[in-house]
Amino acid sequence: SAVIDDVHSKFGGTSLWLPTGGSYLSLGAGDFATPDVFTFECWFRPDDLSLNPCIVSNKESNGLNGYWVAYVTTAGLFEVQFRNTIGQQYFLRSASGYISTDTWYHLRVTKDNGTARLFIDGTLIDSNLTLSGTFGSTNNDELYVGGFLFPGTNLFWDGWLDDVRYTDGVVRGDGTSFT
């Protein structure tokens, strides 16, 4: 289960530890309908990459279309996947081997209407300028921190998260870098 941990933290002496086994936080039914403009950011430290650990997701209740999810692949590639409500998919990706265990990274995902950006440690890693359609929840679905609950496929974070922030209607770091 989720634990406030004082062994590994980026700031303030504690962080959220989500060990393998299905721990995640479900936030705010109805409060996280994915808008045209948002910023999600956090510090993350993976403990194990063997199960494609998921940092955050937001999806429609049918679970098949209308979601976005941010996760790390077993090869250490960081990926953000957007799938609109009619099934079109868009990806933001780092290079393979970019993410490793036992290291803190800062993640920022922004969506500004048709443009999505992925920043890691303040550097723009990838952007997609052609997003169209509705992504994530348009009803009462929730934002999942540390989990992606999808029919037949559940991905859970294995590691630590610190300073998690979701901002509706504001894009932070919309250029090529931020500090």
Side-chain angles (χ1 to χ4, degrees):
S1 62
V3 175
I4 299 300
D5 180 44
D6 62 1
V7 175
H8 300 290
S9 70
K10 187 64 180 172
F11 298 106
T14 61
S15 64
L16 175 65
W17 178 43
L18 296 169
T20 300
S23 299
Y24 64 93
L25 298 177
S26 179
L27 305 175
D31 293 334
F32 292 99
T34 300
D36 289 333
V37 178
F38 75 88
T39 300
F40 175 84
E41 62 186 318
C42 70
W43 287 92
F44 68 96
R45 180 184 171 156
D47 190 39
D48 183 2
L49 300 178
S50 66
L51 298 173
N52 295 324
C54 172
I55 290 180
V56 63
S57 68
N58 182 234
K59 69 177 182 60
E60 285 287 329
S61 59
N62 69 15
L64 302 176
N65 293 317
Y67 63 81
W68 67 273
V69 57
Y71 59 95
V72 182
T73 70
T74 57
L77 177 144
F78 195 92
E79 183 167 277
V80 180
Q81 179 183 0
F82 291 88
R83 184 177 176 125
N84 65 22
T85 53
I86 61 171
Q88 295 169 313
Q89 293 187 22
Y90 306 87
F91 295 90
L92 302 173
R93 292 183 175 119
S94 72
S96 290
Y98 196 87
I99 304 297
S100 59
T101 59
D102 300 323
T103 301
W104 282 102
Y105 300 92
H106 185 265
L107 165 68
R108 181 175 288 175
V109 176
T110 66
K111 181 176 177 286
D112 188 359
N113 295 303
T115 302
R117 292 180 176 90
L118 167 63
F119 297 88
I120 297 178
D121 291 338
T123 301
L124 178 65
I125 301 299
D126 196 8
S127 64
N128 188 317
L129 307 176
T130 61
L131 294 179
S132 65
T134 302
F135 301 90
S137 181
T138 59
N139 50 36
N140 287 328
D141 290 337
E142 302 174 48
L143 186 74
Y144 297 99
V145 175
F148 180 54
L149 310 176
F150 191 81
T153 304
N154 293 327
L155 304 175
F156 299 105
W157 182 247
D158 183 2
W160 293 264
L161 300 173
D162 206 343
D163 288 353
V164 175
R165 177 167 63 174
Y166 178 91
T167 309
D168 182 354
V170 176
V171 170
R172 302 177 190 282
D174 60 350
T176 58
S177 65
F178 68 91
T179 55

